[in-house]
Amino acid sequence: MFSNKSPKFTRGKSVGCSPEYVYTLDALTPSRVVSSLSDRSLRVFDTGSGANITEIAKLSNAHKSNITGVSVVDNSTAVTAGEDGVAKVWDFRQNKATRELSQSANLPLLSIAYSKLTNTVASGTELVGQDAGVVLWDLRNARKPVREYIDSHNDDVTCVAFHPTNAHSLLSGATDGLVTRYNTTISGEDDAVVQVVNHGASIHCTGFFGNDIYALSHMETFSIYRPTDKDDEAEEDKPENQATVFGDVREAWGCEYVVDIGKGYVAVGSNSDAKLSLIPMKGEKVFLQHRIELPGAHGEEVVRCVLVDERNSRIFTGGEDGNVSVWQMEGHLGEADSEWSEIGNDRQKRKKQREKRFKPY
């Protein structure tokens, strides 16, 4: 979908949840999406194929206070974080929480991530007094945390992210402007911290590009950092380890704010002209000439989340207008329709072959 040309997308159906804000969108399966909203509910949508979407479940009061993050475990399970200080495991076959993950300090949780490599959940906490940190649970035995790193940040931990292939590499970003990389096999925090990056502004999101680390701030400043050893100051000064600093990206990327950094794209929005764009990105390269425009977006309201379904060439968006919208690439039937079309074509081919084979002299 993110190719060397800019496909056109048209808005399909929308589901309205106004006056609530739509915070997150995550895919359980190719036809099931789970979302968290500002009324503390979780919603499950059937997305079928094409530009269709229907709400099929609403789990009210999923947390006692705001839901701050959702991370999918498998096609029927997700974990959520809440400002009530609890992480929950949800089974959407039963549409209920099956486990609660607690922590000793009971600090409000602001972010969450799941690693399928180790079956581990990580969550970042709010600063309360002098405490703010990262808590990890092993879902195979989640009665208590397996790690609690509480000294690496001195402000709210707004995001956590596992490395997709390195099972024990974890990032945390906070409003203190720091991004910290941990080796989670180590229990002692001083030794577990292997790198600290000072981005200089409150962290909106962080993650990995390969082994490199990206950081986006709430001031829309963006940089990519190389993995280095915190104990080797000379290593950071080597030319090959210098960060790629984009600075404030709003003018260069033609936007007013960045929604998210996704797999192969960056999503950016502009309220003043009601636009949302997805710009293809590969490492440090941003392909502005191939941006995908979603005109009208969510009007003058902020777009909070974007979910890309490359399998069916669709994009889902959620915003502060309370809508979840589907955008379909023009000329694409959707996978299910395509499969039926192929079946129909095969039948026609077989029919012609039979007619040719048994054609009388």
Short mmCIF file of all heavy atoms in Angstrom, two decimals, residues 115-120 136 162-170 182-185:
data_model
loop_
_atom_site.label_atom_id
_atom_site.label_comp_id
_atom_site.label_asym_id
_atom_site.label_seq_id
_atom_site.Cartn_x
_atom_site.Cartn_y
_atom_site.Cartn_z
N SER A 115 4.95 -7.99 24.67
CA SER A 115 5.95 -8.68 23.85
C SER A 115 5.56 -10.14 23.71
O SER A 115 5.53 -10.88 24.70
CB SER A 115 7.34 -8.58 24.48
OG SER A 115 8.25 -9.42 23.78
N LYS A 116 5.28 -10.57 22.48
CA LYS A 116 4.95 -11.97 22.25
C LYS A 116 6.18 -12.85 22.36
O LYS A 116 6.07 -14.07 22.54
CB LYS A 116 4.31 -12.15 20.88
CG LYS A 116 5.20 -11.81 19.70
CD LYS A 116 4.47 -12.00 18.38
CE LYS A 116 5.37 -11.67 17.19
NZ LYS A 116 4.66 -11.84 15.90
N LEU A 117 7.38 -12.25 22.28
CA LEU A 117 8.61 -13.03 22.37
C LEU A 117 8.81 -13.60 23.77
O LEU A 117 9.36 -14.70 23.93
CB LEU A 117 9.82 -12.17 21.98
CG LEU A 117 9.82 -11.59 20.57
CD1 LEU A 117 11.04 -10.70 20.36
CD2 LEU A 117 9.81 -12.71 19.52
N THR A 118 8.39 -12.85 24.78
CA THR A 118 8.59 -13.29 26.16
C THR A 118 7.28 -13.39 26.95
O THR A 118 7.31 -13.70 28.14
CB THR A 118 9.52 -12.31 26.90
OG1 THR A 118 8.95 -10.99 26.82
CG2 THR A 118 10.91 -12.30 26.27
N ASN A 119 6.16 -13.10 26.29
CA ASN A 119 4.85 -13.10 26.95
C ASN A 119 4.84 -12.14 28.14
O ASN A 119 4.31 -12.45 29.21
CB ASN A 119 4.47 -14.51 27.41
CG ASN A 119 2.96 -14.71 27.48
OD1 ASN A 119 2.19 -14.00 26.84
ND2 ASN A 119 2.52 -15.66 28.29
N THR A 120 5.45 -10.98 27.91
CA THR A 120 5.63 -10.00 28.97
C THR A 120 4.86 -8.72 28.66
O THR A 120 4.79 -8.28 27.52
CB THR A 120 7.13 -9.66 29.13
OG1 THR A 120 7.85 -10.87 29.42
CG2 THR A 120 7.36 -8.67 30.26
N LEU A 136 6.96 -4.46 34.86
CA LEU A 136 6.84 -5.58 33.93
C LEU A 136 6.21 -6.78 34.63
O LEU A 136 6.55 -7.08 35.78
CB LEU A 136 8.19 -6.00 33.37
CG LEU A 136 8.87 -5.04 32.39
CD1 LEU A 136 9.77 -4.05 33.12
CD2 LEU A 136 9.70 -5.82 31.37
N PHE A 162 8.61 -2.52 23.19
CA PHE A 162 9.54 -3.64 23.10
C PHE A 162 10.18 -3.69 21.72
O PHE A 162 9.55 -3.31 20.72
CB PHE A 162 8.81 -4.97 23.34
CG PHE A 162 8.46 -5.24 24.77
CD1 PHE A 162 7.16 -5.03 25.24
CD2 PHE A 162 9.41 -5.72 25.66
CE1 PHE A 162 6.82 -5.28 26.56
CE2 PHE A 162 9.07 -5.99 26.98
CZ PHE A 162 7.78 -5.76 27.43
N HIS A 163 11.40 -4.18 21.66
CA HIS A 163 12.04 -4.44 20.38
C HIS A 163 11.32 -5.61 19.71
O HIS A 163 11.00 -6.60 20.38
CB HIS A 163 13.52 -4.77 20.58
CG HIS A 163 14.33 -4.73 19.33
ND1 HIS A 163 14.26 -5.72 18.37
CD2 HIS A 163 15.23 -3.81 18.85
CE1 HIS A 163 15.08 -5.43 17.38
NE2 HIS A 163 15.67 -4.27 17.63
N PRO A 164 11.06 -5.54 18.40
CA PRO A 164 10.28 -6.61 17.76
C PRO A 164 10.99 -7.95 17.65
O PRO A 164 10.34 -8.99 17.53
CB PRO A 164 9.97 -6.05 16.37
CG PRO A 164 11.03 -5.02 16.14
CD PRO A 164 11.34 -4.43 17.48
N THR A 165 12.35 -7.96 17.70
CA THR A 165 13.07 -9.23 17.55
C THR A 165 14.05 -9.50 18.69
O THR A 165 14.42 -10.65 18.91
CB THR A 165 13.85 -9.26 16.21
OG1 THR A 165 14.75 -8.15 16.15
CG2 THR A 165 12.88 -9.20 15.03
N ASN A 166 14.50 -8.48 19.38
CA ASN A 166 15.39 -8.66 20.53
C ASN A 166 14.51 -8.80 21.76
O ASN A 166 13.95 -7.83 22.27
CB ASN A 166 16.34 -7.47 20.66
CG ASN A 166 17.35 -7.65 21.78
OD1 ASN A 166 17.15 -8.43 22.70
ND2 ASN A 166 18.45 -6.92 21.70
N ALA A 167 14.40 -10.01 22.26
CA ALA A 167 13.37 -10.34 23.26
C ALA A 167 13.47 -9.54 24.54
O ALA A 167 12.46 -9.36 25.23
CB ALA A 167 13.45 -11.84 23.58
N HIS A 168 14.64 -9.05 24.89
CA HIS A 168 14.80 -8.43 26.21
C HIS A 168 15.20 -6.95 26.13
O HIS A 168 15.73 -6.40 27.09
CB HIS A 168 15.84 -9.21 27.03
CG HIS A 168 15.48 -10.66 27.20
ND1 HIS A 168 14.43 -11.08 27.98
CD2 HIS A 168 16.01 -11.79 26.64
CE1 HIS A 168 14.34 -12.40 27.93
NE2 HIS A 168 15.27 -12.85 27.12
N SER A 169 14.90 -6.33 25.01
CA SER A 169 15.20 -4.90 24.84
C SER A 169 13.91 -4.10 24.91
O SER A 169 12.96 -4.34 24.17
CB SER A 169 15.90 -4.66 23.50
OG SER A 169 16.36 -3.33 23.40
N LEU A 170 13.87 -3.14 25.83
CA LEU A 170 12.66 -2.35 26.11
C LEU A 170 13.02 -0.88 26.16
O LEU A 170 14.06 -0.49 26.71
CB LEU A 170 12.05 -2.78 27.45
CG LEU A 170 10.90 -1.95 27.99
CD1 LEU A 170 9.65 -2.13 27.15
CD2 LEU A 170 10.63 -2.30 29.46
N TYR A 182 16.41 -0.56 28.20
CA TYR A 182 16.71 -1.52 29.25
C TYR A 182 17.05 -2.89 28.66
O TYR A 182 16.52 -3.27 27.61
CB TYR A 182 15.51 -1.73 30.18
CG TYR A 182 14.89 -0.49 30.76
CD1 TYR A 182 13.90 0.21 30.08
CD2 TYR A 182 15.27 -0.04 32.03
CE1 TYR A 182 13.31 1.34 30.62
CE2 TYR A 182 14.67 1.09 32.58
CZ TYR A 182 13.70 1.78 31.87
OH TYR A 182 13.10 2.90 32.40
N ASN A 183 17.85 -3.64 29.40
CA ASN A 183 18.00 -5.07 29.21
C ASN A 183 17.19 -5.73 30.32
O ASN A 183 17.60 -5.74 31.48
CB ASN A 183 19.47 -5.49 29.30
CG ASN A 183 19.66 -6.99 29.17
OD1 ASN A 183 18.71 -7.77 29.20
ND2 ASN A 183 20.91 -7.41 29.03
N THR A 184 16.02 -6.25 29.98
CA THR A 184 15.09 -6.71 31.00
C THR A 184 15.46 -8.04 31.64
O THR A 184 14.76 -8.51 32.54
CB THR A 184 13.66 -6.81 30.42
OG1 THR A 184 13.66 -7.75 29.35
CG2 THR A 184 13.18 -5.46 29.93
N THR A 185 16.55 -8.65 31.21
CA THR A 185 17.03 -9.86 31.90
C THR A 185 17.69 -9.50 33.23
O THR A 185 17.90 -10.37 34.07
CB THR A 185 18.04 -10.64 31.05
OG1 THR A 185 19.20 -9.83 30.81
CG2 THR A 185 17.44 -11.05 29.72
#
